[in-house]
Amino acid sequence: MAIPASISSVSPAYCDALRSMQPIRHRVSLSHISVAPSRLYLARARPLQQHDTPIQFRRTMLARAMSTAVQELASEPPVRRGMIQLDKSLFSKSLEIWSIVVPAKDVVAIRSLIGSHSLQLAKISNVLKDERIDPSDRMLLTNAPSQDPPPERIQHVVQEHGLRLLSYLLTLDYDYWTADQILRAILPETVVEESPSGFAQTGHIAHMNLRDEYLPYKHLIGEVILSKSHRLETVVNKLDTIDNEFRVFKMEVIAGKPDFNVTISEEGCSFGFDFSKVYWNSRLQAEHRRLVASFAPLSVIVDAFAGVGPFAIPAAKKSCAVMASDLNPDSARYLRENAESNKVTERMRIDCKDGREYIKHAALDIWQHPFGPPPTKPAKRRTAERAPAAPISPFRPRRIVDHFVMNLPASALEFLDAYRGLYASIKEDTEYQTALIQQGRPLVHCYCFTKLEDAAAAEQDICERASLSLAYPVTPQMDDYRLVLVRAVAPHKDMYCLTFRIPAEVLHAQ
């Protein structure tokens, strides 16, 4: 909707219609009166643009109408630098504003008449009860400070409809401000340029990775983060990098209780574990969903770095046959417990082995001992009696792995050599040759990091390292090749998923 640049005044009904995106009403009806709205003259602010959208027009109208005093009140909390222990009472700000006493049944209509003069603050209701007024009335808060006369528009509505004005003390306390605003108000000016309010949440735990300059204030930062979410009970700070063989890192509790046992729900599955003993990254939920969605039911999946099961458990839930292992004994234990709690133990085989060894073991184990048919739920009695008997197709077990998942981005590329000669010992077997034709060669999904930000350079870097380990050229021309940017882990560090179908020359290499 184009707004002519020459507009200098707009009727309240027109303004309200744009705000609510509803058809314009030329008259505003109360429960007992009907009035034709007068014109509302706009204060000075950003000029209206000819091609403003209705949303842009609304924002301009609200910005113009909000008083400078209210803007200043809601801009930032009081500055309390040097605070050692969090004191929430020190972050309150107040302003006396005008309110209109309105019969409860007429609040919507009166608010429409005063238009953008009503108070518009996030998390603050502009309609309240008050002990000073009749229980059947409400206080409609405006954005006009009571130290000044009310705007003409408000005076006109109050006089025309026999209403009255009251002063109201608007208070914005600690709960109004965001964690980022509070931290910028209490940390030294030398470190507030980038407020350390970001964290990853795992169950009731907030996991932070504070830079060195914030460490002297870590407990204060933790208290602020903890206080701003009712879902959090523990805040931890990472003490080192994930560079050990079990992918776990040391952490310290900087706020809340030292409880690391969490339960996570993801994609209809439940995962329980001790966060201090295993690897889990909640920021990979979308990637877990994407990859599992690519698995067809009854596919055979080998997850060589399974962790507690974010890929393996959902895959088993959709009737895939899953071989899963993790070198970390705690991860393997929780993986078994999660398989049991999610009722997929019949579709899984779980181990605790080195990834390279497990890839070779799992491929031949599936060939020699294929999974049986997936368990079926018995039909309800009435349904079984009414439905005609369907012909039963013989179940043909899949004996070749369909997907290998390698979620160890720090070093998974180095394990690609495990696929050389994977099926060399049975390549002459006619049953294997037939199964290979029917199922196709396995797909590999290998997660990795690169420090190159340019997409073309990153792809070249990943393919070169993969080729070196596989001893075979990994290029975009390979069957089912795909390189997916998963997430930016840190500045100059991105995570990718490299997918390709393993060449026959690799599978059968001597």
Side-chain angles (χ1 to χ4, degrees):
M1 178 183 299
I3 307 298
S6 60
I7 284 183
S8 60
S9 64
V10 178
S11 71
Y14 186 72
C15 173
D16 292 337
L18 285 174
R19 289 174 57 199
S20 61
M21 307 307 166
Q22 299 297 322
I24 297 174
R25 301 179 185 275
H26 296 287
R27 302 181 67 84
V28 181
S29 297
L30 278 69
S31 58
H32 60 291
I33 53 177
S34 179
V35 296
S38 60
R39 300 175 69 80
L40 170 65
Y41 289 87
L42 306 179
R44 295 178 62 84
R46 181 183 75 86
L48 292 170
Q49 304 299 316
Q50 186 172 0
H51 300 292
D52 272 358
T53 65
I55 291 177
Q56 290 169 331
F57 181 67
R58 175 193 178 199
R59 289 173 178 169
T60 302
M61 295 284 289
L62 293 178
R64 289 182 172 195
M66 183 178 289
S67 69
T68 302
V70 173
Q71 287 181 354
E72 291 178 353
L73 177 76
S75 60
E76 294 291 338
V79 175
R80 306 297 186 196
R81 305 205 192 284
M83 182 177 286
I84 299 176
Q85 187 171 1
L86 182 63
D87 185 348
K88 298 180 181 179
S89 66
L90 299 179
F91 295 95
S92 295
K93 293 174 70 175
S94 298
L95 176 69
E96 292 274 357
I97 59 174
W98 288 114
S99 71
I100 306 174
V101 181
V102 184
K105 61 183 180 299
D106 295 332
V107 165
V108 174
I110 294 297
R111 183 164 50 191
S112 175
L113 287 176
I114 69 171
S116 56
H117 284 297
S118 63
L119 184 70
Q120 302 282 346
L121 285 181
K123 299 186 283 188
I124 302 295
S125 173
N126 58 14
V127 179
L128 305 173
K129 293 182 180 181
D130 192 278
E131 60 183 11
R132 296 176 293 171
I133 63 177
D134 190 276
S136 64
D137 291 340
R138 297 292 183 269
M139 294 181 72
L140 175 59
L141 304 184
T142 74
N143 58 22
S146 60
Q147 64 184 16
D148 301 321
E152 292 183 7
R153 178 74 192 158
I154 293 178
Q155 292 185 47
H156 173 76
V157 171
V158 169
Q159 293 171 4
E160 186 168 351
H161 302 297
L163 306 174
R164 64 190 175 105
L165 291 169
L166 278 180
S167 180
Y168 176 81
L169 183 63
L170 174 64
T171 300
L172 305 182
D173 59 13
Y174 179 85
D175 293 334
Y176 177 79
W177 313 109
T178 65
D180 182 69
Q181 288 175 313
I182 294 293
L183 290 174
R184 281 192 274 113
I186 62 179
L187 293 176
E189 291 183 281
T190 55
V191 297
V192 296
E193 185 175 351
E194 294 183 12
S195 174
S197 57
F199 61 88
Q201 184 170 347
T202 303
H204 65 269
I205 300 175
H207 157 224
M208 307 191 75
N209 189 9
L210 296 175
R211 298 203 302 260
D212 291 344
E213 59 264 37
Y214 296 120
L215 294 181
Y217 320 100
K218 59 188 178 183
H219 294 292
L220 187 58
I221 293 170
E223 285 296 330
V224 172
I225 298 299
L226 186 65
S227 69
K228 286 299 178 178
S229 176
H230 66 278
R231 296 181 179 179
L232 295 179
E233 298 177 10
T234 306
V235 183
V236 302
N237 182 45
K238 179 179 174 183
L239 293 179
D240 57 9
T241 58
I242 305 177
D243 57 3
N244 56 61
E245 62 179 351
F246 292 161
R247 293 190 293 172
V248 296
F249 54 84
K250 294 180 181 179
M251 62 184 74
E252 64 172 337
V253 177
I254 58 175
K257 58 184 182 181
D259 178 11
F260 301 113
N261 291 302
V262 300
T263 300
I264 305 293
S265 294
E266 187 175 290
E267 302 305 310
C269 302
S270 176
F271 302 91
F273 51 87
D274 183 328
F275 185 56
S276 67
K277 296 181 178 180
V278 303
Y279 174 79
W280 178 274
N281 192 334
S282 297
R283 290 172 174 159
L284 294 178
Q285 181 173 356
E287 179 60 18
H288 299 156
R289 182 189 308 117
R290 180 193 73 84
L291 192 62
V292 173
S294 71
F295 302 158
L298 304 183
S299 295
V300 177
I301 315 297
V302 171
D303 191 347
F305 311 98
V308 299
F311 290 111
I313 301 293
K317 273 270 191 179
K318 63 184 298 185
S319 297
C320 293
V322 181
M323 298 275 290
S325 174
D326 198 278
L327 184 61
N328 181 350
D330 289 308
S331 294
R333 174 169 61 88
Y334 285 118
L335 179 58
R336 289 190 179 93
E337 292 178 4
N338 291 331
E340 184 175 351
S341 65
N342 286 280
K343 301 179 180 180
V344 292
T345 52
E346 294 182 27
R347 303 300 300 156
M348 295 186 67
R349 296 175 190 168
I350 298 170
D351 219 322
C352 180
K353 292 186 176 181
D354 169 74
R356 181 177 285 102
E357 174 190 349
Y358 188 71
I359 288 171
K360 295 179 176 294
H361 158 78
L364 293 180
D365 184 68
I366 285 289
W367 176 256
Q368 297 167 358
H369 309 286
F371 280 82
T376 56
K377 294 182 179 180
K380 294 182 179 180
R381 184 173 180 179
R382 286 187 177 181
T383 304
E385 291 174 354
R386 294 176 183 176
I392 300 176
S393 300
F395 173 76
R396 296 180 179 178
R398 298 174 75 85
R399 302 176 66 186
I400 294 178
V401 178
D402 294 294
H403 300 268
F404 285 95
V405 181
M406 305 176 71
N407 184 24
L408 188 67
S411 57
L413 289 175
E414 300 171 11
F415 287 79
L416 290 176
D417 63 306
Y419 298 107
R420 292 197 61 80
L422 192 66
Y423 288 119
S425 62
I426 58 172
K427 68 177 182 179
E428 303 299 335
D429 189 320
T430 55
E431 289 188 26
Y432 165 74
Q433 294 172 359
T434 301
L436 193 64
I437 294 173
Q438 293 175 343
Q439 281 188 236
R441 290 171 279 116
L443 279 168
V444 171
H445 309 279
C446 183
Y447 290 89
C448 57
F449 293 134
T450 180
K451 295 181 179 180
L452 301 177
E453 295 181 347
D454 178 74
E459 181 172 44
Q460 181 178 355
D461 171 57
I462 292 169
C463 286
E464 286 178 355
R465 288 187 286 146
S467 300
L468 184 64
S469 180
L470 193 64
Y472 187 92
V474 175
T475 69
Q477 287 69 47
M478 296 181 75
D479 292 343
D480 297 300
Y481 172 94
R482 190 178 183 191
L483 185 63
V484 175
L485 174 61
V486 177
R487 61 183 289 259
V489 179
H492 310 295
K493 185 177 183 180
D494 291 334
M495 179 178 176
Y496 281 85
C497 178
L498 171 66
T499 294
F500 60 89
R501 198 168 292 278
I502 306 175
E505 296 89 334
V506 173
L507 289 175
H508 305 142
Q510 297 296 330

